[in-house]
Amino acid sequence: MQFTKQHFRLTIILLFAFITLYFLWLVRSGLYPFIIALLLAYLLNPAVCYLEKKGLSRALAILLLYVILFSVIILGGTRLLPILIRDLESFGKELPHILGKSEELFYLIQSHYQNSVLPYSIRIAIDNSIISLQQEGQSFASDLANSILGLITYFIGFAITPILAFYFLHDWQAIKEGLLLLVPCRLRQEFTLALKDIDKVLNGVIRGQLTVAIIVGVLVSVGLYFFNVPFALLIGITAGLLDVIPYFGAFIGAAPAITLALLESPLLAGKVALLFFVIHQLEGSVIGPKILGESVGLHPLSVIFCLFAGGELFGVVGMLLGVPVAAVGKVVLQHSIKLLL
């Protein structure tokens, strides 16, 4: 086969892309402020464009949005932060007592289980499943704790994120035009369509899921507060954060609340379980479809596979990013096939 000028250009582009990706992989630990800033800019860009259409300059629109955003954070923080700190201090003091009661409950359940009349083979299978579940739970808790500690460690990077996001927002159109210039003329129309489809997918996955998670966190916190469950705000925030993990996040977020309620009384545990069931049903049948719709475009089996694959490769972060990456990959693959065919 003759090696044409077009083949040479394609080879150079692929080689350059490979070298760029390899370089980014080498410096990946220093990229997190830029990635978070890009995500923040993506979330705020529609509001900035709206203010710009109302007659404000883009820089003034960004500054106004920053003032509103930081005002909300500061006002909310002054109200919620003392409660959160109090919950954390109380949780630290109560932790030995909670662990002691949990151990007593575990031994009680184990005693009833050992005295049961289950066949030996079934008991062995249940024992193996429990051991496997414990190991998976410990691994997940360890990954979650490491992720939280990592966020605290990278606080300096987070401090400059708003500045980086400002530049991304201010030069958003110039960045898009610069990307288009890198694409050959005959591919630009398809590339633009691909970007629009990616934006539609990410709009559902990121903006939509964050909105749903905030609503779920508020509902959980308010419900637990009315049931007098300890650490209601702390559990609500945790449930909201974990809710961004499709399917499994709701169950993982419910576990701490039900466990704490069970240490108080089985009746309270039943109420808390019912609360999470109602919230999960509202999320699945009303809140989620209304906000997310079908914009992700992935089959539920594909979503579950992406969660397991992401969790296996990169832990908690992989579970969070597995679905968005797969959704974007699907769009890129569809447009690539269209070009090749």
Side-chain angles (χ1 to χ4, degrees):
M1 185 179 69
Q2 188 177 3
F3 194 76
T4 63
K5 184 178 179 181
Q6 184 178 359
H7 290 144
F8 177 75
R9 184 186 299 174
L10 181 61
T11 303
I12 294 297
I13 291 173
L14 291 175
L15 183 61
F16 178 76
F18 175 77
I19 293 172
T20 302
L21 290 174
Y22 181 68
F23 173 75
L24 292 176
W25 175 256
L26 291 177
V27 299
R28 63 189 181 279
S29 59
L31 291 178
Y32 68 93
F34 295 90
I35 295 172
I36 297 171
L38 183 60
L39 175 62
L40 181 62
Y42 176 75
L43 292 173
L44 297 180
N45 186 58
V48 172
C49 292
Y50 175 80
L51 292 174
E52 198 176 13
K53 289 178 181 177
K54 293 298 181 180
L56 295 177
S57 67
R58 191 162 184 87
L60 187 59
I62 298 169
L63 290 174
L64 178 61
L65 198 60
Y66 268 29
V67 170
I68 296 171
L69 186 62
F70 282 114
S71 299
V72 171
I73 292 173
I74 292 170
L75 290 174
T78 54
R79 297 292 183 88
L80 297 178
L81 194 59
I83 301 173
L84 184 59
I85 292 173
R86 187 186 64 200
D87 276 0
L88 286 170
E89 290 177 347
S90 178
F91 179 73
K93 293 177 182 177
E94 291 288 328
L95 186 58
H97 177 66
I98 292 171
L99 291 176
K101 292 188 71 174
S102 301
E103 192 174 358
E104 290 177 9
L105 181 63
F106 174 76
Y107 284 130
L108 179 63
I109 294 172
Q110 189 179 41
S111 175
H112 286 295
Y113 169 66
Q114 294 295 337
N115 294 327
S116 64
V117 291
L118 289 173
Y120 178 77
S121 58
I122 295 178
R123 184 175 294 183
I124 291 295
I126 293 174
D127 288 341
N128 292 334
S129 299
I130 292 173
I131 292 171
S132 176
L133 188 62
Q134 286 176 337
Q135 292 173 344
E136 291 293 333
Q138 290 172 354
S139 176
F140 178 81
S142 176
D143 288 341
L144 184 61
N146 289 333
S147 299
I148 294 172
L149 289 174
L151 293 178
I152 297 172
T153 305
Y154 294 143
F155 177 75
I156 296 176
F158 291 136
I160 66 169
T161 294
I163 300 172
L164 298 174
F166 177 88
Y167 287 113
F168 275 127
L169 280 168
H170 187 269
D171 300 326
W172 191 266
Q173 192 60 35
I175 292 171
K176 287 176 64 176
E177 291 173 358
L179 287 174
L180 279 175
L181 289 176
L182 296 175
V183 180
C185 294
R186 62 185 182 85
L187 302 179
R188 285 180 188 173
Q189 183 178 0
E190 193 65 35
F191 183 76
T192 304
L193 292 174
L195 286 181
K196 288 181 180 179
D197 288 344
I198 290 173
D199 178 64
K200 181 181 176 182
V201 168
L202 291 180
N203 184 62
V205 175
I206 298 176
R207 293 195 187 103
Q209 193 60 54
L210 283 176
T211 305
V212 172
I214 292 170
I215 294 172
V216 168
V218 170
L219 291 175
V220 169
S221 297
V222 172
L224 294 179
Y225 176 78
F226 279 112
F227 284 145
N228 293 317
V229 176
F231 322 119
L233 179 61
L234 187 60
I235 294 172
I237 292 173
T238 304
L241 290 173
L242 291 172
D243 195 74
V244 300
I245 302 175
Y247 299 113
F248 303 109
F251 298 102
I252 300 170
I258 296 173
T259 302
L260 285 174
L262 187 60
L263 296 178
E264 296 293 328
S265 72
L267 178 61
L268 182 59
K271 290 179 180 178
V272 172
L274 181 61
L275 170 69
F276 274 92
F277 175 77
V278 171
I279 292 173
H280 183 61
Q281 291 301 309
L282 280 172
E283 179 189 2
S285 58
V286 179
I287 302 172
K290 187 72 176 178
I291 296 174
L292 295 174
E294 298 296 329
S295 55
V296 177
L298 291 176
H299 192 275
L301 287 174
S302 301
V303 173
I304 294 173
F305 173 77
C306 293
L307 289 173
F308 278 109
E312 182 68 25
L313 292 173
F314 303 107
V316 177
V317 175
M319 294 184 75
L320 293 174
L321 298 181
V323 175
V325 170
V328 171
K330 179 184 176 182
V331 172
V332 172
L333 183 63
Q334 286 175 335
H335 285 275
S336 299
I337 292 173
K338 190 184 296 186
L339 285 174
L340 293 173
L341 297 180

